[in-house]
Amino acid sequence: MAAAAAATTSNFDPQLIISHKFPEKTFTYTERDVALYALGVGACLKDALDDKELKYVYHPDHAHQQSIQVLPTFAALFCHGVSSEIGQLPGFSFDPRLLLHGQQYIEIYKPLPASACIQNVASISGLHDKGKATVLEIEILSYERESGELICMNRMAVFLRGLGGFSNSAQPYSYSKHPVNQTSSTRLPKSPPFAVFEECTQPSQALLYRLSGDYNPLHSDPRIAEIAGFSRPILHGLCTLGFAVRAVIKCICGGDQNRIKSISARFLLHVYPGETLITEMWLDGQRVLYQVKVKERSRAVLSGFVDLNLLNSSL
């Protein structure tokens, strides 16, 4: 299967790929979608009375808060549907089951509204020949449709196994239009973490998170999960990222989600719903380095950094 996919790279023109224009897409959401997402990434999971997280799912009509608040990782939902567009790239022919989501980078330019119609403009921001695989980077700029204001940017890197070897020279083809330090692997300090947050996911966590729009059966169908080599359905990587950024907001930002400026994540390993996530955090100026481990298997599953707008002076 992988060999068949690799054979299609003979018709592969990198210049056509990086100049490809994706059709613009709209993404409309309401407060209900925002609250459902927050519950999907564990908000109020430990304590339904937690005043620092209740704001993501509820607001009393008489309160000064005009609407529910939005977690910054909600912005990752604006990428939904982009993966299906990859197969439309000129000369691209691959088995979608061989696609792996490797990295996610998010920049937040203004607090996300509780409901909106978003206009998404996607483009190729990176293309790298890895021999037996290709790394494709897609950048999505998200504008509030009514005002035309740019509110966030996503950049996702997908690893296409079996689709590589298209370079025409001894030097492997590599194109990138963004700074490498935004998506490079994070080197964690050897010192003890500044903060550690432990939280257990629910056995039904993936079934809840999928209601936010990612219906890949790998996360719900035991038969599909087994074919893919897992003992049972796995948790969405972006769900794990939501748990990690919530930990940063709680432990470093004093519960203020608007301090989040940008988020970088590298997906290292799968998580099974019901497992316990341990998020370790280190401070480096206005940057929080983090790593998420699964307690039951003592394995790192996610790492990256979060850049902050303002850091609490008491830290």
Side-chain angles (χ1 to χ4, degrees):
M1 186 185 302
T8 63
T9 58
S10 59
N11 303 318
F12 193 101
D13 184 347
Q15 197 57 43
L16 286 178
I17 300 296
I18 64 176
S19 60
H20 180 76
K21 301 295 184 184
F22 290 97
E24 293 188 11
K25 301 280 188 178
T26 57
F27 182 93
T28 302
Y29 66 91
T30 66
E31 283 199 0
R32 184 182 186 278
D33 301 307
V34 170
L36 186 62
Y37 171 81
L39 293 171
V41 297
C44 296
L45 187 62
K46 282 184 174 181
D47 181 7
L49 304 179
D50 185 345
D51 62 352
K52 286 187 170 59
E53 293 211 313
L54 193 59
K55 62 183 178 179
Y56 301 128
V57 298
Y58 171 78
H59 73 94
D61 292 335
H62 63 272
H64 68 278
Q65 181 183 317
Q66 298 299 311
S67 61
I68 65 172
Q69 302 295 292
V70 187
L71 285 163
T73 47
F74 183 81
L77 299 190
F78 302 162
C79 297
H80 282 349
V82 172
S83 295
S84 63
E85 297 283 345
I86 295 175
Q88 307 303 315
L89 291 169
F92 244 52
S93 179
F94 69 99
D95 187 335
R97 291 175 296 181
L98 299 178
L99 183 150
L100 295 174
H101 188 177
Q103 291 176 272
Q104 188 81 16
Y105 178 74
I106 305 170
E107 287 185 353
I108 305 293
Y109 305 126
K110 61 173 289 189
L112 302 179
S115 60
C117 180
I118 303 298
Q119 192 80 16
N120 292 313
V121 180
S123 62
I124 302 298
S125 61
L127 180 65
H128 312 279
D129 187 353
K130 299 296 182 180
K132 294 183 178 181
T134 292
V135 173
L136 183 70
E137 295 172 280
I138 303 174
E139 183 175 285
I140 301 100
L141 296 173
S142 298
Y143 299 84
E144 199 169 9
R145 190 171 184 178
E146 187 175 339
S147 66
E149 190 172 2
L150 179 62
I151 61 171
C152 68
M153 180 270 284
N154 278 272
R155 188 182 302 118
M156 57 187 294
V158 294
F159 192 79
L160 303 169
R161 292 174 291 173
L163 186 67
F166 58 83
S167 302
N168 291 324
S169 64
Q171 185 71 21
Y173 183 90
S174 183
Y175 160 81
S176 183
K177 73 171 190 179
H178 58 80
V180 68
N181 65 348
Q182 290 180 344
T183 52
S184 58
S185 58
T186 303
R187 185 171 297 178
L188 299 173
K190 294 183 179 180
S191 58
F194 174 83
V196 179
F197 187 75
E198 181 174 317
E199 194 164 35
C200 189
T201 64
Q202 296 297 305
S204 59
Q205 201 75 52
L207 298 177
L208 179 57
Y209 182 83
R210 74 188 291 271
L211 299 179
S212 287
D214 188 340
Y215 298 109
N216 186 335
L218 178 64
H219 308 293
S220 55
D221 189 324
R223 183 180 59 85
I224 297 295
E226 186 177 355
I227 291 172
F230 301 104
S231 62
R232 59 186 188 274
I234 62 174
L235 195 60
H236 307 69
L238 288 174
C239 180
T240 304
L241 177 60
F243 271 83
V245 174
R246 277 184 46 249
V248 172
I249 293 169
K250 288 176 74 73
C251 298
I252 307 296
C253 301
D256 183 359
Q257 76 282 356
N258 292 327
R259 288 182 179 167
I260 303 296
K261 180 180 179 182
S262 62
I263 301 161
S264 180
R266 182 181 290 262
F267 304 104
L268 306 175
L269 193 66
H270 62 279
V271 174
Y272 289 115
E275 290 187 314
T276 305
L277 301 178
I278 300 175
T279 303
E280 301 172 327
M281 294 157 269
W282 293 263
L283 293 180
D284 182 15
Q286 298 291 98
R287 175 168 289 186
V288 181
L289 308 175
Y290 70 88
Q291 175 177 258
V292 181
K293 295 179 179 177
V294 165
K295 185 176 184 178
E296 291 79 1
R297 289 180 284 140
S298 299
R299 300 287 300 275
V301 296
L302 180 70
S303 69
F305 63 81
V306 175
D307 284 338
L308 306 176
N309 289 310
L310 295 169
L311 192 58
N312 191 329
S313 59
S314 65
L315 295 176

